[in-house]
Amino acid sequence: MLFGMNTTTDSTRRIEGFEDTVKDFWVSRPRRPHRGRKLAGVAAGIGHRYGIDPAIVRVVFVVLTVFGGVGLAFYLLGWAILPEEGDDVSGLEGLLGKGRSSMSKGFTLALCAALVLLGLASFSASWVDGGTFVGLALVVAGVYLLHRSRGHLRRPAPTGGVATGPAGMTSTGTGGDAGMWGQPVSQAAPTWDPLGADPLGWRLPDATAPTPPPPEPPPPPRRKSKIGFAVTGVALAVGGVGAALAAEGVPWFTPAHVMGLVLAVLGLGMVAGSFLGGGRGLVWLAVPLALVGLTLSAVPLEHVGGGFGELRATPTSADQVQPVYERTAGDVQLDLTGLSGSDSARTTVRSGAGNVTVLLPPDADVDYRCEAAVGNVECLGQEHNGIDTPELRGVDPGTDGEGGPKITLTAKIGAGNVEVRRG
């Protein structure tokens, strides 16, 4: 006889120390259900085991994948070590001959190979500075604290058949000295009468079946919680402060890091909401922001200060040319057609997002460098477009050959267009 997703609650169970917690987690691992799953049932199994909305678990996997790259590796690990509903052991244990698993050995080997490759990729090149180790530490600490606080609830029932051993011994489990859920339950039929009477002389009433435990009471109705509004407010405040610091040119506060801080606040809010009841609507805010964060992490955008808005400059002499013209987000237009004669100038024009336009004198000798992380570059007759386009560089003496103003120019854009032409 097989047991499905039956659960029990043991309020008397006491877990002492780190080692006991790890052992108890292993013997009462979540089971991957057949119903309510989106892919392999890892998130659904964790949510059912600890009484957490599976949507929150899925968002945690997505966030860990975006910032640190370990989310997908942890999902594959759960796929390999968490037994499926109705199986005796997990796919990895089945591969080692520990019991029956519905996962084929070939698929298990492919899963393990993908897990090793993803793990090596995550630790060899983190998507965000140090994100892999931070994500690993957060997952280990989160699972440990979650099991310490809720490990006694909704414990999976034992699985496996009933085997008959010597001398009438019966056991329930996966066999061996200890099954997947701990020591097997054994009962032995007595082979002697302690009173020394004839067994046929006893006329006892037939044994009645044990009374089944009462069903768990239905969960109380969900109360309206304000945690979603509170977390959204904190996330907006953190994002606003981070954007302001980025505009001021504080080095660490890049767009990717600011987005990571906002997602961290939302993630903590969803975890708190899973315990306090509420905050489910934060998922719809976290998912699109996670996609934006993935884009910011994958595209090599350089941090640019200068604030927001349009910048226009028209210097008429070399003394008026600034070393840098920049905007965090906005258009930058620099008109250098006023330079003449023996003027010599060096400047950099850049923007995080927007358009960069530079107008040059027809007779100027120009040493130029133009590049864009995402967008189109048109620089004195050369053109490139796409993502992480190669740098365009060269020397252009102008229409009259060498002579006239000498300009050294660097034009850069994070996302947008760069145009350098003669006026």
Side-chain angles (χ1 to χ4, degrees):
M1 176 180 178
L2 294 178
F3 292 83
M5 289 297 292
N6 297 328
T7 59
T8 60
T9 299
D10 185 1
S11 58
T12 63
R13 179 180 293 274
R14 294 182 59 86
I15 304 175
E16 302 290 345
F18 179 81
E19 183 179 358
D20 289 344
T21 302
V22 173
K23 290 181 178 178
D24 188 72
F25 168 78
W26 181 255
V27 300
S28 63
R29 285 169 291 174
R31 301 184 67 80
R32 297 184 289 110
H34 295 301
R35 301 180 60 184
R37 63 199 301 175
K38 299 299 181 183
L39 181 59
V42 176
I46 294 174
H48 180 272
R49 171 67 176 88
Y50 296 107
I52 300 174
D53 191 338
I56 295 177
V57 182
R58 295 183 183 108
V59 170
V60 171
F61 277 121
V62 172
V63 173
L64 289 173
T65 300
V66 173
F67 296 96
V70 297
L72 185 56
F74 273 115
Y75 192 90
L76 295 182
L77 178 63
W79 198 343
I81 69 171
L82 299 183
E84 190 169 9
E85 179 184 353
D87 288 351
D88 294 343
V89 296
S90 64
L92 183 59
E93 292 170 303
L95 181 65
L96 300 176
K98 300 294 185 181
R100 183 188 62 82
S101 173
S102 60
M103 186 181 298
S104 67
K105 294 185 178 181
F107 184 80
T108 304
L109 288 173
L111 198 63
C112 292
L115 178 60
V116 171
L117 293 176
L118 277 175
L120 293 176
S122 298
F123 282 96
S124 62
S126 176
W127 294 4
V128 177
D129 303 338
T132 299
F133 296 98
V134 173
L136 179 62
L138 288 176
V139 169
V140 173
V143 172
Y144 176 80
L145 294 176
L146 188 63
H147 192 79
R148 289 282 297 181
S149 61
R150 294 194 170 195
H152 63 287
L153 303 174
R154 309 171 69 91
R155 299 177 67 85
T159 185
V162 178
T164 302
M169 300 289 288
T170 61
S171 62
T172 303
T174 58
D177 294 334
M180 187 181 71
W181 307 109
Q183 294 291 339
V185 180
S186 300
Q187 295 178 342
T191 58
W192 58 281
D193 187 350
L195 298 180
D198 181 6
L200 299 178
W202 291 93
R203 300 184 62 85
L204 300 176
D206 295 336
T208 58
T211 304
E216 296 185 6
R222 184 181 297 273
R223 297 179 301 173
K224 292 185 177 180
S225 174
K226 297 182 179 179
I227 188 171
F229 295 99
V231 172
T232 302
V234 174
L236 290 175
V238 169
V241 172
L245 294 174
E248 291 296 326
V250 179
W252 188 85
F253 287 88
T254 63
H257 287 162
V258 173
M259 189 62 64
L261 291 175
V262 173
L263 284 172
V265 172
L266 294 177
L268 292 175
M270 286 186 288
V271 172
S274 66
F275 289 96
L276 303 178
R280 299 185 65 179
L282 296 174
V283 174
W284 304 109
L285 181 59
V287 170
L289 290 180
L291 296 177
V292 174
L294 176 60
T295 303
L296 293 174
S297 300
V299 177
L301 297 178
E302 181 181 352
H303 172 69
V304 180
F308 298 86
E310 188 178 28
L311 172 62
R312 292 177 178 269
T314 310
T316 57
S317 66
D319 294 339
Q320 296 178 3
V321 177
Q322 301 295 322
V324 178
Y325 297 90
E326 65 179 355
R327 281 290 182 265
T328 303
D331 296 342
V332 181
Q333 180 174 328
L334 177 61
D335 186 350
L336 298 176
T337 57
L339 302 185
S340 61
S342 60
D343 287 340
S344 179
R346 178 188 294 270
T347 187
T348 297
V349 186
R350 61 192 181 193
S351 176
N355 297 300
V356 168
T357 304
V358 180
L359 302 178
L360 301 170
D363 59 343
D365 297 341
V366 183
D367 184 353
Y368 61 87
R369 294 174 52 203
C370 304
E371 62 178 306
V374 179
N376 184 65
V377 178
E378 296 181 13
C379 199
L380 293 177
Q382 300 187 69
E383 183 176 356
H384 277 305
N385 59 74
I387 298 177
D388 197 17
T389 59
E391 180 184 78
L392 297 179
R393 60 192 312 168
V395 177
D396 191 316
T399 57
D400 62 342
E402 293 187 3
K406 297 186 181 299
I407 300 174
T408 302
L409 173 68
T410 299
K412 305 173 69 174
I413 192 73
N417 301 308
V418 173
E419 182 183 9
V420 178
R421 56 185 172 85
R422 297 186 183 273

